[in-house]
Coordinates of all heavy atoms in Angstrom, one line a residue:
E258 N -42.5 -48.3 -24.4 CA -43.5 -48.3 -25.4 C -43.4 -47.1 -26.3 O -43.7 -47.2 -27.5 CB -44.9 -48.3 -24.8 CG -45.2 -49.7 -24.2 CD -45.1 -50.9 -25.3 OE1 -45.7 -50.7 -26.5 OE2 -44.5 -51.8 -25.0
E259 N -43.1 -46.0 -25.7 CA -43.0 -44.7 -26.5 C -41.8 -44.8 -27.4 O -41.8 -44.4 -28.7 CB -42.7 -43.5 -25.6 CG -43.9 -43.1 -24.7 CD -43.7 -42.1 -23.7 OE1 -42.6 -41.6 -23.5 OE2 -44.7 -41.8 -23.0
T260 N -40.7 -45.4 -27.1 CA -39.5 -45.7 -27.9 C -40.0 -46.7 -29.0 O -39.6 -46.3 -30.1 CB -38.4 -46.4 -27.1 OG1 -38.0 -45.4 -26.0 CG2 -37.1 -46.6 -28.0
F261 N -40.7 -47.7 -28.7 CA -41.1 -48.6 -29.7 C -42.0 -48.0 -30.7 O -41.8 -48.2 -32.0 CB -41.9 -49.9 -29.1 CG -42.4 -50.9 -30.1 CD1 -41.5 -51.6 -30.7 CD2 -43.7 -50.8 -30.5 CE1 -41.9 -52.6 -31.7 CE2 -44.2 -51.8 -31.4 CZ -43.3 -52.7 -32.0
E262 N -42.9 -47.1 -30.3 CA -43.9 -46.3 -31.2 C -43.1 -45.4 -32.2 O -43.3 -45.3 -33.3 CB -44.9 -45.7 -30.4 CG -45.9 -46.5 -29.9 CD -46.7 -47.4 -30.8 OE1 -47.0 -46.9 -32.0 OE2 -46.9 -48.6 -30.5
K263 N -42.0 -44.8 -31.6 CA -41.1 -43.9 -32.4 C -40.5 -44.7 -33.5 O -40.4 -44.3 -34.7 CB -40.1 -43.3 -31.5 CG -39.1 -42.3 -32.3 CD -37.9 -41.8 -31.5 CE -38.2 -41.2 -30.0 NZ -37.1 -40.7 -29.4
L264 N -39.9 -45.9 -33.1 CA -39.3 -46.9 -34.1 C -40.2 -47.2 -35.2 O -40.0 -47.2 -36.3 CB -38.6 -48.0 -33.4 CG -37.4 -47.7 -32.5 CD1 -37.0 -49.0 -31.7 CD2 -36.3 -47.1 -33.2
K265 N -41.5 -47.7 -34.7 CA -42.5 -48.2 -35.6 C -42.9 -47.1 -36.5 O -43.0 -47.4 -37.8 CB -43.6 -48.6 -34.7 CG -44.8 -49.4 -35.5 CD -45.8 -49.9 -34.5 CE -47.1 -49.8 -35.0 NZ -48.1 -50.2 -34.0
E266 N -43.0 -45.9 -36.1 CA -43.6 -44.8 -37.1 C -42.4 -44.5 -38.1 O -42.6 -44.3 -39.2 CB -43.7 -43.6 -36.1 CG -44.2 -42.4 -37.0 CD -44.5 -41.2 -36.1 OE1 -45.1 -41.4 -35.1 OE2 -44.3 -40.0 -36.6
Y267 N -41.0 -44.5 -37.6 CA -40.0 -44.2 -38.6 C -39.9 -45.3 -39.6 O -39.8 -45.1 -40.8 CB -38.7 -44.1 -37.9 CG -37.6 -43.6 -38.7 CD1 -37.3 -42.3 -39.1 CD2 -36.8 -44.6 -39.3 CE1 -36.4 -42.0 -40.0 CE2 -35.8 -44.3 -40.2 CZ -35.6 -43.0 -40.6 OH -34.5 -42.6 -41.5
I268 N -40.0 -46.5 -39.2 CA -40.0 -47.6 -40.2 C -41.2 -47.6 -41.1 O -41.0 -47.8 -42.3 CB -40.0 -48.9 -39.4 CG1 -38.6 -49.2 -38.7 CG2 -40.1 -50.2 -40.3 CD1 -38.7 -50.4 -37.6
G269 N -42.3 -47.2 -40.6 CA -43.5 -47.1 -41.5 C -43.3 -46.0 -42.6 O -43.7 -46.2 -43.7
D270 N -42.6 -44.9 -42.1 CA -42.4 -43.8 -43.1 C -41.1 -44.1 -44.0 O -40.9 -43.4 -45.0 CB -42.2 -42.5 -42.3 CG -43.4 -42.0 -41.5 OD1 -44.4 -42.5 -42.0 OD2 -43.3 -41.2 -40.7
N271 N -40.3 -44.8 -43.5 CA -39.0 -45.2 -44.3 C -38.7 -46.7 -44.4 O -37.8 -47.2 -43.9 CB -37.8 -44.6 -43.5 CG -38.0 -43.0 -43.3 OD1 -37.8 -42.3 -44.3 ND2 -38.5 -42.6 -42.1
P272 N -39.5 -47.3 -45.1 CA -39.5 -48.9 -45.2 C -38.0 -49.1 -45.9 O -37.5 -48.3 -46.8 CB -40.5 -49.3 -46.1 CG -41.1 -48.0 -46.8 CD -40.7 -46.8 -45.9
G273 N -37.4 -50.1 -45.5 CA -36.1 -50.5 -46.0 C -34.9 -49.8 -45.4 O -33.8 -50.0 -45.7
C274 N -35.1 -49.1 -44.3 CA -34.0 -48.4 -43.6 C -33.2 -49.5 -43.0 O -33.7 -50.5 -42.6 CB -34.5 -47.4 -42.7 SG -35.4 -47.9 -41.3
N275 N -31.9 -49.2 -42.7 CA -31.1 -50.1 -42.0 C -31.0 -49.6 -40.5 O -31.5 -48.7 -40.0 CB -29.7 -50.3 -42.7 CG -28.9 -49.0 -42.6 OD1 -29.0 -48.2 -41.7 ND2 -28.0 -48.8 -43.6
M276 N -30.4 -50.6 -39.8 CA -30.4 -50.4 -38.3 C -29.6 -49.0 -37.9 O -30.0 -48.3 -37.0 CB -29.8 -51.6 -37.6 CG -30.2 -51.5 -36.2 SD -29.8 -53.0 -35.2 CE -29.9 -54.4 -36.2
A277 N -28.5 -48.8 -38.6 CA -27.7 -47.6 -38.4 C -28.5 -46.3 -38.6 O -28.6 -45.4 -37.8 CB -26.5 -47.5 -39.3
Q278 N -29.3 -46.3 -39.8 CA -30.2 -45.1 -40.1 C -31.2 -45.0 -39.1 O -31.6 -44.0 -38.6 CB -30.9 -45.4 -41.4 CG -30.0 -45.2 -42.7 CD -30.9 -45.6 -43.9 OE1 -31.2 -46.7 -44.1 NE2 -31.1 -44.6 -44.7
L279 N -31.8 -46.1 -38.7 CA -33.0 -46.1 -37.7 C -32.5 -45.5 -36.3 O -33.1 -44.6 -35.8 CB -33.4 -47.6 -37.5 CG -34.6 -47.8 -36.6 CD1 -35.9 -47.0 -37.0 CD2 -35.0 -49.3 -36.5
S280 N -31.2 -45.9 -36.0 CA -30.8 -45.5 -34.7 C -30.4 -44.0 -34.7 O -30.7 -43.2 -33.9 CB -29.4 -46.2 -34.4 OG -28.9 -45.7 -33.2
T281 N -29.7 -43.6 -35.9 CA -29.4 -42.1 -36.0 C -30.5 -41.3 -36.1 O -30.6 -40.2 -35.4 CB -28.5 -42.1 -37.4 OG1 -27.3 -42.8 -37.3 CG2 -28.0 -40.5 -37.5
E282 N -31.5 -41.6 -36.9 CA -32.6 -40.7 -37.2 C -33.7 -40.7 -35.9 O -34.3 -39.7 -35.7 CB -33.4 -41.2 -38.4 CG -32.6 -41.1 -39.6 CD -32.2 -39.6 -40.0 OE1 -33.0 -38.7 -39.8 OE2 -31.0 -39.4 -40.5
T283 N -33.7 -41.6 -35.1 CA -34.7 -41.8 -34.0 C -33.9 -41.4 -32.8 O -34.6 -41.1 -31.7 CB -35.3 -43.1 -33.8 OG1 -34.2 -44.1 -33.7 CG2 -36.1 -43.4 -35.1
G284 N -32.6 -41.6 -32.6 CA -32.0 -41.4 -31.5 C -31.9 -42.5 -30.5 O -31.6 -42.5 -29.4
V285 N -32.4 -43.6 -31.0 CA -32.6 -44.9 -30.1 C -31.3 -45.7 -30.4 O -30.9 -46.0 -31.5 CB -33.8 -45.6 -30.5 CG1 -33.9 -46.9 -29.7 CG2 -35.1 -44.9 -30.4
P286 N -30.5 -46.1 -29.3 CA -29.3 -46.9 -29.5 C -29.6 -48.2 -30.1 O -30.7 -48.8 -30.0 CB -28.8 -47.0 -28.0 CG -29.5 -46.0 -27.2 CD -30.8 -45.7 -27.9
V287 N -28.7 -48.6 -30.9 CA -28.7 -49.9 -31.6 C -29.0 -51.1 -30.6 O -29.7 -51.9 -31.0 CB -27.4 -50.3 -32.5 CG1 -27.4 -51.6 -32.9 CG2 -27.2 -49.1 -33.5
K288 N -28.4 -51.0 -29.5 CA -28.6 -52.0 -28.5 C -30.1 -52.2 -28.3 O -30.7 -53.3 -28.0 CB -27.8 -51.7 -27.3 CG -27.9 -52.9 -26.2 CD -27.0 -52.4 -24.9 CE -27.1 -53.4 -23.8 NZ -26.4 -53.2 -22.7
I289 N -30.9 -51.1 -28.0 CA -32.3 -51.1 -27.7 C -33.0 -51.7 -28.9 O -34.1 -52.5 -28.8 CB -32.9 -49.8 -27.3 CG1 -32.2 -49.5 -26.0 CG2 -34.3 -49.7 -27.3 CD1 -32.4 -48.0 -25.3
I290 N -32.7 -51.3 -30.1 CA -33.4 -51.7 -31.4 C -33.1 -53.2 -31.4 O -34.1 -54.0 -31.7 CB -32.7 -51.0 -32.5 CG1 -33.1 -49.6 -32.6 CG2 -33.4 -51.6 -33.9 CD1 -32.4 -48.7 -33.5
T291 N -31.9 -53.7 -31.1 CA -31.7 -55.1 -31.2 C -32.4 -55.9 -30.1 O -32.9 -56.9 -30.4 CB -30.1 -55.3 -30.9 OG1 -29.3 -54.6 -31.9 CG2 -29.7 -56.9 -30.9
G292 N -32.6 -55.3 -29.0 CA -33.5 -55.9 -28.0 C -34.9 -56.1 -28.4 O -35.4 -57.2 -28.2
F293 N -35.5 -55.0 -29.3 CA -36.8 -55.3 -29.7 C -36.9 -56.4 -30.8 O -37.9 -57.1 -30.9 CB -37.3 -53.9 -30.3 CG -37.7 -52.9 -29.3 CD1 -37.3 -51.6 -29.3 CD2 -38.7 -53.3 -28.4 CE1 -37.7 -50.6 -28.4 CE2 -39.2 -52.3 -27.4 CZ -38.6 -51.0 -27.6
I294 N -35.8 -56.5 -31.5 CA -35.7 -57.6 -32.5 C -35.6 -58.9 -31.8 O -36.3 -59.9 -32.2 CB -34.4 -57.4 -33.6 CG1 -34.7 -56.1 -34.4 CG2 -34.3 -58.6 -34.4 CD1 -33.5 -55.6 -35.1
R295 N -34.8 -59.0 -30.8 CA -34.6 -60.2 -30.1 C -35.9 -60.6 -29.4 O -36.3 -61.9 -29.2 CB -33.5 -60.2 -28.9 CG -32.1 -60.0 -29.6 CD -31.6 -61.3 -30.0 NE -30.2 -61.2 -30.4 CZ -29.7 -62.1 -31.1 NH1 -30.3 -63.2 -31.5 NH2 -28.4 -62.0 -31.5
D296 N -36.7 -59.7 -28.9 CA -38.1 -59.9 -28.3 C -39.0 -60.4 -29.3 O -40.2 -60.6 -28.9 CB -38.4 -58.7 -27.5 CG -37.7 -58.4 -26.3 OD1 -36.9 -59.4 -25.8 OD2 -37.7 -57.4 -25.6

């Protein structure tokens, strides 16, 4: 949930970011981001 909130906050502040940016800037691996998308 903390990871999801971190992603949600970054996306809110940076609309239109891509998955690589999101991963790099938050430190969350692409695999976990993809899991949230799949869910």
Side-chain angles (χ1 to χ4, degrees):
E258 284 307 309
E259 289 170 358
T260 300
F261 179 74
E262 287 301 318
K263 183 192 304 186
L264 294 171
K265 188 173 144 184
E266 184 178 322
Y267 184 83
I268 292 168
D270 293 341
N271 302 280
C274 66
N275 64 34
M276 203 174 319
Q278 285 175 301
L279 184 59
S280 176
T281 301
E282 295 298 320
T283 61
V285 177
V287 170
K288 183 177 180 180
I289 291 175
I290 297 169
T291 302
F293 284 127
I294 294 168
R295 294 282 187 195
D296 291 344

